[in-house]
Amino acid sequence: KQEVTQIPAALSVPEGENLVLNCSFTDSAIYNLQWFRQDPGKGLTSLLLIQSSQREQTSGRLNASLDKSSGRSTLYIAASQPGDSATYLCAVRFVRGQTGANNLFFGTGTRLTVIP
Amino acid sequence: NAGVMQNPRHLVRRRGQEARLRCSPMKGHSHVYWYRQLPEEGLKFMVYLQKENIIDESGMPKERFSAEFPKEGPSILRIQQVVRGDSAAYFCASSPLRTSGLETQYFGPGTRLLVL
């Protein structure tokens, strides 16, 4: 069964700290992995997309890594700010998706709070 | 270039009524995906459509739910005879023409359905 798991479910850090969010997936045969941000009552904003052939992607203070063989990805946020407070979702497109390869499998997210 | 648009943003229905959720993909996108996010859960794939075609509906509940993406106009997710368990956020995403499953999905702001 293909699953995506995110740990921790919630995280609180003081402003300025660097932090790491974790995502694990059960099948290493993937097309890509995507990190999203979801603000309360809002839609999803795509942060980073890592193709299966890539090891990492960077955008500003964000860096996402991918280790397909171990089924893991991390999202690193440097110098966290109160505006980073949101839920971060990891989503995987599996090659042999149970519901086809057309859709994303989402984790349940990590709710991040950055304390000023 | 407007993003993915969904309306209404909030919808309240009484048990037994019908709910119609609309999604207009980004300009130039011909693929639409619907996801459902139940309270405190991750997003779950429901259906994948192209214009006038349902490509993959393996995530749709067997009864009461249907989706369409006509040649003209928005994609519609229709829920008949709603029950309280249908209360959720329904997200639509769109993508351009597929290229080996590498395309990014762009998400709309969601429709929050509340069934009383």
Side-chain angles (χ1 to χ4, degrees):
Chain A
K1 184 178 179 182
Q2 288 153 331
E3 292 182 346
V4 179
T5 305
Q6 290 187 249
I7 294 173
L11 180 64
S12 290
V13 300
E15 182 177 1
E17 267 201 13
N18 303 325
L19 60 101
V20 174
L21 307 179
N22 297 294
C23 173
S24 60
F25 45 95
T26 53
D27 184 347
S28 61
I30 68 171
Y31 281 121
N32 53 45
L33 181 146
Q34 200 164 355
W35 282 93
F36 292 88
R37 169 186 172 137
Q38 184 177 25
D39 293 282
K42 301 285 181 64
L44 279 67
T45 301
S46 179
L47 298 173
L48 290 164
L49 171 71
I50 311 178
Q51 304 296 354
S52 62
S53 58
Q54 298 174 320
R55 295 295 295 247
E56 65 177 336
Q57 282 283 345
T58 298
S59 175
R61 293 182 295 109
L62 306 179
N63 176 276
S65 68
L66 175 64
D67 183 344
K68 257 194 331 178
S69 60
S70 66
R72 294 180 189 278
S73 175
T74 62
L75 178 66
Y76 174 82
I77 303 178
S80 58
Q81 303 171 357
D84 295 331
S85 298
T87 296
Y88 290 80
L89 299 171
C90 168
V92 176
R93 177 169 289 157
F94 293 104
V95 172
R96 295 180 292 272
Q98 290 170 306
T99 54
N102 309 299
N103 55 285
L104 296 170
F105 278 75
F106 281 84
T108 51
T110 295
R111 187 180 305 115
L112 173 66
T113 302
V114 180
I115 304 165
Chain B
N1 183 14
V4 178
M5 299 177 68
Q6 290 186 249
N7 67 81
R9 295 290 304 277
H10 299 274
L11 183 61
V12 180
R13 285 287 178 266
R14 297 194 180 278
R15 281 179 297 170
Q17 291 184 321
E18 178 180 287
R20 279 180 175 251
L21 287 62
R22 288 177 291 277
C23 169
S24 297
M26 286 181 70
K27 187 176 181 181
H29 286 192
S30 56
H31 298 240
V32 166
Y33 311 78
W34 286 94
Y35 293 82
R36 176 167 67 175
Q37 186 177 35
L38 294 168
E40 303 302 320
E41 292 189 16
L43 278 77
K44 296 285 195 301
F45 168 77
M46 299 181 75
V47 62
Y48 163 44
L49 310 104
Q50 296 177 17
K51 287 279 187 182
E52 300 183 285
N53 274 309
I54 297 175
I55 306 302
D56 181 352
E57 59 181 347
S58 51
M60 288 276 270
K62 299 297 182 194
E63 298 176 345
R64 303 187 297 107
F65 285 72
S66 62
E68 63 177 9
F69 189 15
K71 187 177 180 181
E72 302 290 338
S75 175
I76 306 286
L77 179 67
R78 181 182 178 206
I79 311 172
Q80 295 178 291
Q81 299 175 334
V82 296
V83 301
R84 287 206 174 120
D86 296 333
S87 296
Y90 292 83
F91 290 95
C92 169
S94 73
S95 67
L97 188 64
R98 282 193 68 192
T99 51
S100 304
L102 301 179
E103 75 285 1
T104 297
Q105 293 182 17
Y106 297 84
F107 281 78
T111 293
R112 278 144 187 90
L113 172 65
L114 175 63
V115 180
L116 301 177

